[in-house]
Amino acid sequence: MKIFTHEAIKKIDKATIENDNISELDLMERAASAVSFEIISRWRTAQRMVIFAGPGNNGGDALAVARMLYEQGYRPEVYLFNIRSSHLSECCAANRQRLIDMGDIDFTEIVDNFTPPELGPSDVVIDGLFGSGLHTPLKGGYTALVQYINNSEAFIVSIDIPSGLFGEWNEGSDRRNIIRADLTLTFGSKRLSFFFSENAEFIGECIVLDIELSAKAIAATPASYYLIEKEDVRKMLKPRDPFINKYDNGTLLLVSGSYGMMGAAVLAAKGALRIGAGLVTVHAPASANIIMQTACPEALFEADQSDICTTSINCRRRYSVVALGPGMGTSDETIDAVDFFLKNYHKPCLLDADALNCIAKRPMLLRSIPKGSIITPHAGEFDRLFRENVTDEERLKNAINKSKVHNITIVLKGHHTMTVRPDGKVYINSSGNAGMATAGSGDVLTGVISGLIAQGYSADASVWMGVYIHGHAGDLAASKQGEYSLIASDIIDNLGPAILDIQRQ
């Protein structure tokens, strides 16, 4: 699913109006009807509802919702802010008149001073002050109103987006003056800003409402951001050829593990095998032979000359893909081995965990990463490589820049793992849960992504497919174990069921 900017959404709205031969006011009716249905499904008519409407189309939505709720037996209290420094949009003015024409509705229009109504924990506030088109921080009386609403302990429902929050980048917003919604009812698709952890406190539960926007316009409108869902992966998964052999399923060299951290190598190898890689060879310290042969007998073992850590990485055979990092450690010998490998291996590879930490200790090695490679850092590893970032938004902007500069794909692991490509496109994952924040989860992901590449999937597709399948396996595991008890091995055990579920129509 494409994630559009506000400007793109405006174009899609316009195309919908033209294609469906309707007015802008009619499209607003669709949006208000969808919002009203959601509200009616949650609260009885006796529920006190206080609606705050701004002067723009977001306010028009709110006024239309007020009218529809009134028609269904609710008695909303409606406040429209039409202060002197602003003017009502055409649709907002039309819905204002429609509301007035209803007669006895509790409607107040604020043009100068405003005394807010008393609000408490038993009330529902509907926020229709400002929508996703806002691009400057709230000011004046709006800041006091937002803070008053936030402090009221009422249940807050925001239409489109919490007022004060920008749809994309919020670097210039004032976080003190943003509505903290309990429920956000947005249209068509989520906004980019909804996927950043620092904005979660403002959004609450988010429901995407279908207002029948033009499918043709959506398909024709370009986007830089995409939300990966089950259907996207289903379309990409290829059926197995009945005459295939293990070599056709690809070969993977996994450089992983060190003394005391061989679990990472086991998890990564099992992840690659479970996703379907034909042959997995693990290069690890010689002392790990028994561990690997016992814990993962399906994998081949290649011993390093050291018993403790990796001291050399020589690709003596041709592999479909090489992956480095899980549990390698960052000893001087291992850093030297990574240094040698990157300066002498010129094909795309996958770098994770300690491979990235080794590079962070020698930053000049960033220039030696083969073009087209994939790195899979969590927030801490990314910041060690590319400087500290305060927010997810800042980190994503940084990743977009670094991906282009180094011509590599960057997988920013997190609640909404984001795959950043050198062309600026970003794929946001929709699967996964908090239980996956556990030791070894990232090691499994390394195996899954590299295992898909080994089978012949493109590197680009392997990343976002692998991230989704990994997250979906985690969701299946959580449904059995719960988020508290989920461990990395549970993710591996559910990779097969996850693929079966994705393939199921």
Side-chain angles (χ1 to χ4, degrees):
M1 176 188 291
K2 294 177 180 178
I3 299 172
F4 293 110
T5 63
H6 175 70
E7 292 304 314
I9 292 171
K10 285 173 60 178
K11 292 179 181 178
I12 293 170
D13 286 349
K14 183 178 179 182
T16 301
I17 290 168
E18 293 173 353
N19 293 341
D20 294 359
N21 194 27
I22 61 174
S23 68
E24 185 179 10
L25 200 58
D26 292 329
L27 185 60
M28 185 172 285
E29 286 289 292
R30 288 186 190 178
S33 178
V35 171
S36 299
F37 180 83
E38 188 64 35
I39 291 172
I40 290 169
S41 69
R42 290 173 179 250
W43 290 283
R44 297 179 183 274
T45 54
Q47 174 64 52
R48 183 188 183 215
M49 293 190 180
V50 182
I51 299 177
F52 295 98
N57 278 358
N58 192 242
D61 289 335
L63 296 179
V65 168
R67 169 170 42 84
M68 293 177 184
L69 291 177
Y70 182 81
E71 290 170 344
Q72 295 299 316
Y74 293 81
R75 292 295 179 265
E77 302 167 33
V78 187
Y79 296 87
L80 170 62
F81 290 83
N82 186 15
I83 56 179
R84 296 189 184 95
S85 61
S86 64
H87 64 277
L88 300 185
S89 71
E90 185 177 335
C91 287
C92 186
N95 273 305
R96 169 186 173 275
Q97 190 58 49
R98 287 180 176 182
L99 204 61
I100 292 173
D101 291 344
M102 299 191 76
D104 64 343
I105 194 165
D106 188 349
F107 173 70
T108 302
E109 186 169 354
I110 295 93
V111 294
D112 42 41
N113 295 326
F114 171 57
T115 301
E118 289 189 12
L119 299 173
S122 61
D123 300 325
V124 172
V125 168
I126 298 176
D127 159 38
L129 292 171
F130 295 96
S132 57
L134 187 73
H135 58 273
T136 58
L138 297 183
K139 56 186 178 181
Y142 288 116
T143 64
L145 176 60
V146 166
Q147 291 172 17
Y148 177 75
I149 293 172
N150 285 340
N151 292 330
S152 69
E153 299 184 4
F155 189 97
I156 305 173
V157 180
S158 285
I159 299 174
D160 184 30
I161 191 171
S163 293
L165 186 68
F166 305 159
E168 289 83 49
W169 310 112
N170 278 267
E171 184 178 2
S173 66
D174 187 340
R175 300 179 67 81
R176 299 169 300 175
N177 300 319
I178 299 174
I179 287 288
R180 287 179 169 80
D182 298 287
L183 172 65
T184 298
L185 302 176
T186 195
F187 307 118
S189 66
K190 293 182 179 180
R191 308 296 177 251
L192 178 62
S193 60
F194 290 11
F195 296 98
F196 301 132
S197 63
E198 60 268 18
N199 297 332
E201 63 177 305
F202 305 119
I203 297 159
E205 178 188 1
C206 181
I207 295 179
V208 178
L209 303 176
D210 182 7
I211 57 172
E212 300 178 27
L213 295 173
S214 169
K216 182 179 179 181
I218 289 172
T221 303
S224 295
Y225 307 95
Y226 301 83
L227 182 66
I228 299 302
E229 299 176 298
K230 183 186 291 187
E231 183 62 27
D232 300 308
V233 181
R234 180 185 293 129
K235 291 176 181 178
M236 291 296 297
L237 280 173
K238 299 176 289 189
R240 282 291 178 94
D241 182 340
F243 293 97
I244 205 167
N245 64 58
K246 60 188 176 185
Y247 296 103
D248 294 325
N249 285 329
T251 56
L252 162 65
L253 175 64
L254 179 64
V255 184
S256 178
S258 58
Y259 186 82
M261 293 193 290
M262 283 309 301
V266 172
L267 292 168
K270 285 187 173 182
L273 289 162
R274 279 292 184 198
I275 206 67
L279 280 172
V280 176
T281 299
V282 177
H283 178 99
S287 61
N289 182 40
I290 294 176
I291 295 174
M292 286 303 307
Q293 295 296 316
T294 304
C296 189
E298 299 88 353
L300 301 176
F301 183 77
E302 179 181 279
D304 192 89
Q305 61 189 13
S306 168
D307 283 336
I308 304 300
C309 62
T310 293
T311 60
S312 62
I313 306 170
N314 296 308
C315 297
R316 299 180 181 87
R317 302 180 182 85
R318 301 182 85 185
Y319 295 97
S320 305
V321 62
V322 178
L324 282 71
M328 282 176 58
T330 57
S331 67
D332 290 342
E333 296 93 333
T334 300
I335 295 173
D336 288 340
V338 172
D339 188 314
F340 179 85
F341 171 81
L342 292 177
K343 290 175 178 176
N344 291 276
Y345 188 80
H346 304 297
K347 298 179 182 178
C349 58
L350 188 150
L351 303 169
D352 179 38
D354 280 337
L356 301 178
N357 292 329
C358 287
I359 294 171
K361 290 178 178 293
R362 293 185 187 174
M364 292 296 291
L365 284 178
L366 279 169
R367 300 180 181 180
S368 299
I369 297 176
K371 306 303 181 185
S373 292
I374 300 162
I375 68 172
T376 58
H378 57 56
E381 291 162 348
F382 180 87
D383 288 0
R384 282 193 285 274
L385 283 171
F386 300 115
R387 73 168 169 76
E388 184 176 353
N389 299 268
V390 177
T391 63
D392 283 355
E393 175 183 312
E394 182 183 350
R395 191 170 291 109
L396 176 60
K397 286 183 176 179
N398 195 3
I400 292 171
N401 176 52
K402 298 303 182 184
S403 175
K404 182 178 180 180
V405 168
H406 297 287
N407 195 12
I408 56 176
T409 295
I410 301 177
V411 182
L412 288 175
K413 294 187 288 193
H415 176 54
H416 294 293
T417 294
M418 298 186 179
T419 300
V420 183
R421 299 194 334 189
D423 61 3
K425 286 186 167 53
V426 178
Y427 295 89
I428 302 173
N429 189 45
S430 65
S431 64
N433 60 83
M436 298 176 70
T438 185
S441 178
D443 303 325
V444 177
L445 179 61
T446 292
V448 169
I449 294 174
S450 55
L452 287 169
I453 296 173
Q455 292 172 75
Y457 291 97
S458 70
D460 285 340
S462 295
V463 175
W464 58 258
M465 287 173 64
V467 169
Y468 183 88
I469 295 170
H470 177 261
H472 192 49
D475 289 337
L476 295 179
S479 70
K480 304 168 190 174
Q481 302 290 348
E483 292 184 357
Y484 278 90
S485 298
L486 192 153
I487 59 175
S489 295
D490 297 328
I491 302 173
I492 295 170
D493 293 341
N494 283 278
L495 286 171
I499 293 174
L500 289 173
D501 184 63
I502 291 168
Q503 291 176 321
R504 196 175 294 121
Q505 294 290 339

